[in-house]
Amino acid sequence: WLYMGMQIKIRIVGKVKNGSSDKWLQDAYKMYDGRMKSNGLDVATVWHKNDNDLISGISTDIQKGHSIILLDPNGKSMTSERFSTNLYDWLENGGSRVSFVIGGADGLPSTIRFSKDPPLQTKISLSSLTFTHQFARTILMEQIYRAAEIRKGSGYHK
């Protein structure tokens, strides 16, 4: 039978910065992306040019039944163990598909952030500190990798 991998999308407003100042973030992201393949997780970043483009992408994911997780400073904080459990629950509920949403410099669009729509109610916070959206993407990527390693029972998470 056909094995369906679990797909994780990171939707983000902005553009890839290939300048030398952000190269270390790109390198870290790529390192975790490479490690992720052995865990059956396919992670892809979708860059959106503006909020309207982001909203359109989220709408498509909702129509397809994907779990939508908004990264928001006022979202729920959790341990890496809880994140791991939640990640696999979100994947199960979303038909092996989950989309994490990171806003641009001004955060999430207010129509998404304050929506009463049930698919848009899951909000998490990576930290009470403020990060650039590029940095938040890399931290999220590491936590996704850590979640898979926790699930696997490897020694990565101690």
Side-chain angles (χ1 to χ4, degrees):
W1 47 260
L2 180 64
Y3 171 73
M4 293 267 302
M6 294 174 279
Q7 294 184 337
I8 298 171
K9 236 182 255 176
I10 300 173
R11 291 192 174 277
I12 187 169
V13 174
K15 56 183 178 247
V16 181
K17 293 183 181 172
N18 289 319
S20 60
S21 66
D22 283 329
K23 185 180 181 319
W24 67 278
L25 285 171
Q26 291 295 334
D27 290 347
Y29 180 90
K30 286 177 187 165
M31 179 188 73
Y32 290 113
D33 189 42
R35 290 179 180 183
M36 207 81 70
K37 304 294 181 230
S38 68
N39 290 321
L41 295 175
D42 177 34
V43 182
T45 298
V46 180
W47 296 93
H48 297 278
K49 59 184 176 283
N50 56 43
D51 285 351
N52 288 337
D53 190 33
L54 176 69
I55 291 165
S56 175
I58 294 168
S59 295
T60 299
D61 290 349
I62 290 171
Q63 289 167 4
K64 292 179 178 177
H66 300 189
S67 293
I68 309 293
I69 313 304
L70 306 175
L71 272 68
D72 184 90
N74 298 315
K76 183 175 173 39
S77 295
M78 62 188 76
T79 64
S80 294
E81 292 86 356
R82 169 56 50 205
F83 179 79
S84 178
T85 300
N86 287 352
L87 176 62
Y88 285 92
D89 288 348
W90 295 326
L91 282 162
E92 190 174 317
N93 294 335
S96 297
R97 308 285 183 269
V98 64
S99 295
F100 289 95
V101 182
I102 301 173
D106 296 324
L108 294 168
S110 58
T111 54
I112 297 296
R113 189 172 184 196
F114 301 113
S115 173
K116 300 293 183 219
D117 196 7
L120 298 174
Q121 295 310 301
T122 306
K123 296 179 180 82
I124 66 167
S125 173
L126 295 176
S127 170
S128 52
L129 300 172
T130 301
F131 302 117
T132 65
H133 55 286
Q134 297 268 6
F135 199 52
R137 177 180 84 119
T138 303
I139 293 169
L140 176 62
M141 188 66 159
E142 191 278 341
Q143 286 299 301
I144 293 168
Y145 174 71
R146 181 176 296 273
E149 292 298 303
I150 289 169
R151 174 93 167 199
K152 208 160 71 172
S154 82
Y156 179 79
H157 177 74
K158 293 183 178 173

